[in-house]
Amino acid sequence: MTVITTLTLNTTKAMGGKGSDLTTTVMATMEMWKTSRVHPSIAAWKQAQLSLSQGGLGLRSLSHHAPAAFIASLCFSGLGSNSHVHLLQSLETFNSSVHQSDNIQIGSVLEKLPSQKTLSSILDDNLFRVLQGYLSIADRARLLSASSPHASSWLMVIPSEGQGLHLDPPVFQTALKWWLGLDTAEGSVCALCPDKMLDPLGHHATTCKRGGDVIFRHNRLRDILAETCRRAHFSVEAGCNLTPDHSHSRPADVLISNWAMGKTAACDVSVTSPLNSNIMSEAGVTAGAAAQATELRKHEANDVKCSELGWLCIPLVVESYGAGGKRLWSHFRV
């Protein structure tokens, strides 16, 4: 990724002053790495060109966004006019790349002086819609979850081995393939389920209940939640049996005292997948559908029990691609 960033930040040098498309250079660089296992398909490359907030990698195509940059720069400089040939050509190119409803006219451009950020956002939104149009239902569910608020935060974390915020190159490459919907299985069989072929999108790998990975992930999230609340000086109980009668009912992973109106928050941490067969069709239309469905099930299972104990039932659900449930973001801010 360092090589790609360098090329992107030094466009003049990378293009050799010839006006060639930097997109080709960046894509070729990804595929030429000797240790790289990331070979983008057309759909994956289009996703990579999206902004991080839309589930991409922020590797915008220079040729695709050049008209937006030119239009904004020329208009802000005060040199634009109704008869400026290059401005008219750039507007024509821009409008050919977006839906008719997003077309912009010379008059409005000269009057409102749109910023490059505004114009590039229009291009990104159109690319996002086009990409959804030819993806499978599973890939649409994946992309919608990945484009949810905060889902891409892991890509912006500064690597730090000391704080446990570091991925080795092979792991990071696999994570990129998984993020972009590329084949992570390569015909492999699950090591813990000999009769189960791994699916290309990695759904089984992230949900397999054998071997303890799912439990380990759940407990890590629970412990991080508990530690974060302790640092905010809340009184917290985590793990063990959190019901006074020591029953097997578990309406909470973390209890936070005096959360609201003097009541204790019973936080139930859960990770779900938008690729589950029982929710995939809905998740392919609505971002966060899997998380919301799991929240509803948690409320149905635990509301009565929590009410009897005087607790507030707060299911904290996140999808494997990062989309969070409504209750999660209504109680916690990032």
Side-chain angles (χ1 to χ4, degrees):
M1 298 304 289
T2 302
V3 177
I4 294 176
T5 302
T6 302
L7 288 174
T8 304
L9 294 177
N10 296 277
T11 55
T12 302
K13 182 178 180 180
M15 294 169 62
K18 298 179 181 179
S20 60
D21 185 5
L22 183 58
T23 301
T24 304
T25 305
V26 174
M27 189 172 183
T29 302
M30 291 181 70
E31 296 185 335
M32 286 173 60
W33 286 341
K34 293 182 179 180
T35 58
S36 176
R37 297 184 294 166
V38 183
H39 303 287
S41 62
I42 294 177
W45 181 242
K46 287 187 179 296
Q47 181 183 339
Q49 293 177 12
L50 293 170
S51 63
L52 291 176
S53 63
Q54 291 178 312
L57 298 179
L59 300 177
R60 282 174 166 169
S61 165
L62 182 60
S63 61
H64 191 56
H65 286 266
F70 181 79
I71 293 169
S73 298
L74 189 67
C75 291
F76 271 98
S77 71
L79 299 177
S81 68
N82 289 314
S83 58
H84 196 292
V85 176
H86 295 302
L87 176 59
L88 293 172
Q89 290 176 343
S90 295
L91 283 171
E92 183 180 356
T93 303
F94 178 90
N95 289 336
S96 67
S97 302
V98 301
H99 189 270
Q100 187 175 357
S101 61
D102 289 321
N103 282 184
I104 55 177
Q105 305 303 321
I106 184 68
S108 62
V109 166
L110 294 175
E111 179 184 353
K112 297 181 180 179
L113 303 179
S115 65
Q116 181 184 343
K117 180 178 180 180
T118 298
L119 296 178
S120 286
S121 294
I122 294 174
L123 291 171
D124 285 341
D125 291 342
N126 276 268
L127 177 59
F128 186 83
R129 287 195 293 267
V130 169
L131 182 58
Q132 286 189 81
Y134 61 78
L135 289 178
S136 66
I137 188 66
D139 275 310
R140 287 202 300 273
R142 172 187 60 78
L143 181 61
L144 286 174
S145 183
S147 62
S148 298
H150 311 298
S152 61
S153 295
W154 68 280
L155 287 165
M156 295 181 282
V157 173
I158 298 175
S160 172
E161 291 189 60
Q163 296 183 5
L165 302 174
H166 173 74
L167 294 177
D168 292 328
V171 176
F172 185 68
Q173 290 166 11
T174 300
L176 282 184
K177 292 178 66 175
W178 172 77
W179 186 251
L180 296 175
L182 297 171
D183 187 0
T184 57
E186 300 177 347
S188 301
V189 176
C190 177
L192 301 172
C193 310
D195 58 339
K196 183 71 175 181
M197 291 291 295
L198 293 175
D199 58 286
L201 292 180
H203 173 62
H204 180 78
T206 57
T207 58
C208 180
K209 295 182 179 177
R210 294 186 180 182
D213 284 350
V214 170
I215 296 175
F216 176 79
R217 178 181 63 190
H218 170 274
N219 291 346
R220 282 283 291 155
L221 291 174
R222 177 202 63 197
D223 294 344
I224 290 172
L225 171 65
E227 179 59 25
T228 300
C229 290
R230 288 192 185 102
R231 291 183 180 184
H233 302 290
F234 281 102
S235 176
V236 177
E237 292 181 65
C240 62
N241 196 311
L242 297 179
T243 53
D245 58 2
H246 300 287
S247 67
H248 292 289
S249 174
R250 186 186 60 81
D253 293 301
V254 177
L255 292 179
I256 309 173
S257 300
N258 296 315
W259 182 254
M261 298 179 291
K263 291 188 175 182
T264 293
C267 299
D268 189 357
V269 178
S270 183
V271 179
T272 188
S273 172
L275 303 185
N276 285 326
S277 58
N278 63 338
I279 196 65
M280 187 191 302
S281 59
E282 188 176 346
V285 177
T286 306
Q292 293 175 34
T294 302
E295 278 187 343
L296 180 60
R297 289 198 300 271
K298 294 288 186 180
H299 277 298
E300 292 174 346
N302 298 326
D303 274 352
V304 174
K305 181 71 172 179
C306 286
S307 180
E308 292 174 352
L309 297 170
W311 296 346
L312 297 173
C313 178
I314 303 179
L316 301 178
V317 185
V318 64
E319 295 179 2
S320 52
Y321 286 97
K326 291 182 178 180
R327 296 301 299 275
L328 174 62
W329 302 128
S330 66
H331 288 277
F332 292 90
R333 295 181 181 179
V334 178

